[in-house]
Amino acid sequence: MTGRTAGPATTLTSTFVRLKLSLLRNGLRQSAGRRAAYIASAVVVLLFAALQLLGLIALRGVEHADSVVVLLVAVFGLGWAVMPLFFPGGDETLDPTRLVMLPLRTRPLVRALLVSSLVGIGPLFTLCLFVGSVIAVAHGPAAYVVGVLAIVLALLVCVALARAVAAANIRLLTSRKGRDLAVLSGLVVAVGAQVVNFGAQRIGSSGLGQLDPAADVLRWIPPASAIAAVDAASDGSYGIAVLQLALTAGAVAALVAVWARHLDRLMTSPDGSTLQAAGDTTVRDRPSRSRLLPAGRTGTVMERSLRYVWRDPKTKAAWVTSLAIGLIVPVFNALQGTGSIYFACFAAGMLGIQMYNQFGQDTSAFWMVAMTISSTRDAYVELRARAYALLVITLPYAALVTVLTTALLGDWARLPEVLGLSFALLGAMLATGAWTSARFPYSIPQEGYKNVAPGQSGLAFVSIFGGMVAAALLCAPVIALTIVLHTSPDGDAWTWLLLPTGTAYGTAIAYLGLRLAAPRTSRHLPEILTAVSKA
């Protein structure tokens, strides 16, 4: 295909559009369940698109409506940029490496892929958003003319941005590590939901005018600049409107150029993973364990546990999510002025959950650990080292969140007691987590989004929620002491005792829990191995 005439390029574009439609159609033919899921999701998306369109139309004439639509379009542009990183398998046409064996030139291929990318539910939903945004801010014939151009340019920016990001990272996204990025999508949703909730509450209390400063900056960043051009044309600022449209068009050209460059590299360069390393072939010794860790089995188990946190996708996702939510809940509530300093205990609670189902996190590799456990002492050292690894992260993190929450609320007098309560809660969760790990182990599938193997949901529920209830009951003495001190006439002067008391109590209860879990672990290794190895 030479690309010297318009005919071949047009034929290639239509071929890719038909290919995209064929992929959608053949996907629906695979099973009735998949067809029903796709139809149901399409109906829900179209319903949301219609409601969103009506909502944006209702903004017409409302003060600060331009700031709302500019921010909304900017957020959607960001979504188009990051979604290929989290869901690379959501669109098979995002992988240009499937076309490397075809004799296609880069420029016609980019044109064909760009047009075919406009086919789908996502582009239709985005189109409804842009149409509603234009209607919300357009006033006068000139603004509507600018609006038509703005819709086209904004949609092209979103599609080209997604394609450029996917092409630049396709080697990573199609690898195992790249697909594991999708596991972190839950964190993005959780953090994003908290940010949206916080922003909505601020807007509800202060009005839409709070959005103006951010909108003033984003209206010069594509694709939001295209919608801002419509607002500028409505105000008679035609020079600004032309400049913002030109900025958006320039962004389209730049993104297409970047996309084409990466695409050309992918189509002409070999995959580095298939090439034998030609450089230094010297075998290097494995780096020794950190000198900060203790010697013997304890240090080895701690290093293994910490490596799981860093390298295993499911474990990393659980830790990152717990770290984020443990910080967001107390800090955001404090920023809103509705929080309590006791919310800081949420950090210790979220990270304490990581002690549950310790052996299930090893999956089928637990048999290698089981081979090294021949006595109750071995089991105790194994569990103790896993608890130490968790404490390496949890103790400073819980203290940091507590201090930060205290600083935001300005309630420094209660810092010692909240730290004591956090450490007591952490010790209780270490104790119940160790015991439930031995009593109710379950398998964690390594592939997909499931965190419990089929048929083990009951075990997971009893292990986690039952253990959390037991941990709350174990903390009852420290909680009761806190209540007594606050209700006594001179009790506030002695609340500082809760820090050493809570720390000592948490240490003692964690030690007792590990001691009780060790005998069961050593006696029931075959049952634990069977449970955590279930597919």
Side-chain angles (χ1 to χ4, degrees), residues 366 441-443 456 524-535:
F366 177 68
Y442 59 90
S443 178
Q456 294 187 329
H524 297 275
L525 278 177
E527 292 89 338
I528 296 174
L529 182 59
T530 301
V532 302
S533 301
K534 184 176 181 180

Side-chain angles (χ1 to χ4, degrees), residues 478-489:
V478 181
I479 297 174
L481 178 60
T482 304
I483 296 174
V484 169
L485 290 176
H486 279 289
T487 55
S488 300

Side-chain angles (χ1 to χ4, degrees), residues 15 24 34 87 92 125 143 169 240 291 359 374-375 465 497:
T15 299
L24 293 175
R34 181 168 180 173
F87 302 104
E92 294 174 324
F125 184 86
N169 299 277
I240 295 178
R291 296 179 180 178
F359 305 131
S374 58
S375 64
F465 292 98
L497 288 174

Side-chain angles (χ1 to χ4, degrees), residues 27 41 93 109 127 162 167 183 197-198 211 243 249 257 259 271 290 318 321 378 385 399 404 477 504 528:
S41 62
T93 63
L109 180 61
L127 177 64
V183 179
N197 178 53
F198 176 67
L211 302 177
L243 182 59
W259 177 21
D271 184 358
S290 172
T321 302
D378 292 337
L404 180 59
I528 296 174

Side-chain angles (χ1 to χ4, degrees), residues 209-496:
Q210 293 284 324
L211 302 177
D212 289 344
D216 289 339
V217 175
L218 293 175
R219 66 177 63 248
W220 292 99
I221 301 177
S225 57
I227 304 303
V230 181
D231 181 57
S234 298
D235 295 337
S237 303
Y238 300 113
I240 295 178
V242 171
L243 182 59
Q244 290 173 326
L245 284 178
L247 181 62
T248 309
V252 174
L255 288 171
V256 170
V258 171
W259 177 21
R261 185 169 66 252
H262 285 291
L263 192 61
D264 184 69
R265 186 180 304 166
L266 286 170
M267 301 289 282
T268 58
S269 301
D271 184 358
S273 63
T274 63
L275 300 178
Q276 183 177 3
D280 183 15
T281 58
T282 304
V283 178
R284 293 178 174 86
D285 294 334
R286 180 180 178 272
S288 59
R289 186 172 65 243
S290 172
R291 296 179 180 178
L292 298 176
L293 300 179
R297 182 188 183 111
T298 299
T300 302
V301 175
M302 289 180 66
E303 182 185 16
R304 184 184 69 226
S305 298
L306 293 173
R307 285 183 182 272
Y308 278 165
V309 174
W310 182 250
R311 293 183 177 179
D312 181 66
K314 285 280 181 84
T315 306
K316 180 189 292 187
W319 270 91
V320 172
T321 302
S322 296
L323 288 168
I325 297 179
L327 176 66
I328 287 172
V329 170
V331 170
F332 273 43
N333 279 279
L335 290 173
Q336 294 171 13
T338 59
S340 168
I341 192 173
Y342 296 106
F343 281 178
C345 297
F346 205 84
M350 287 300 301
L351 294 188
I353 295 176
Q354 304 307 317
M355 187 64 187
Y356 292 82
N357 196 34
Q358 277 290 310
F359 305 131
Q361 297 176 20
D362 297 347
T363 62
S364 58
F366 177 68
W367 73 269
M368 300 179 68
V369 177
M371 294 292 292
T372 66
I373 299 177
S374 58
S375 64
T376 300
R377 174 65 183 174
D378 292 337
Y380 170 72
V381 174
E382 175 76 24
L383 289 169
R384 184 186 64 185
R386 291 175 182 243
Y388 283 166
L390 188 143
L391 289 173
V392 167
I393 303 174
T394 305
L395 277 178
Y397 177 79
L400 177 63
V401 172
T402 303
V403 171
L404 180 59
T405 306
T406 304
L408 292 174
L409 294 174
D411 195 0
W412 292 102
R414 295 191 179 184
L415 176 61
E417 63 179 274
V418 176
L419 280 174
L421 286 170
S422 295
F423 295 156
L425 174 61
L426 181 59
M429 298 196 75
L430 291 178
T432 56
W435 192 84
T436 57
S437 294
R439 181 64 180 84
F440 302 108
Y442 59 90
S443 178
I444 301 177
Q446 291 300 292
E447 300 296 334
Y449 298 93
K450 294 182 178 180
N451 291 318
V452 182
Q456 294 187 329
S457 299
L459 281 174
F461 179 84
V462 173
S463 175
I464 297 177
F465 292 98
M468 291 171 64
V469 171
L473 294 176
L474 290 175
C475 289
V478 181
I479 297 174
L481 178 60
T482 304
I483 296 174
V484 169
L485 290 176
H486 279 289
T487 55
S488 300
D490 300 326
D492 289 340
W494 298 96
T495 54
W496 63 270

Side-chain angles (χ1 to χ4, degrees), residues 75-87 161-162 165 188:
V75 169
F76 263 74
L78 178 63
W80 274 88
V82 301
M83 282 302 103
L85 298 177
F86 290 122
F87 302 104
L161 180 60
V165 171
V188 175

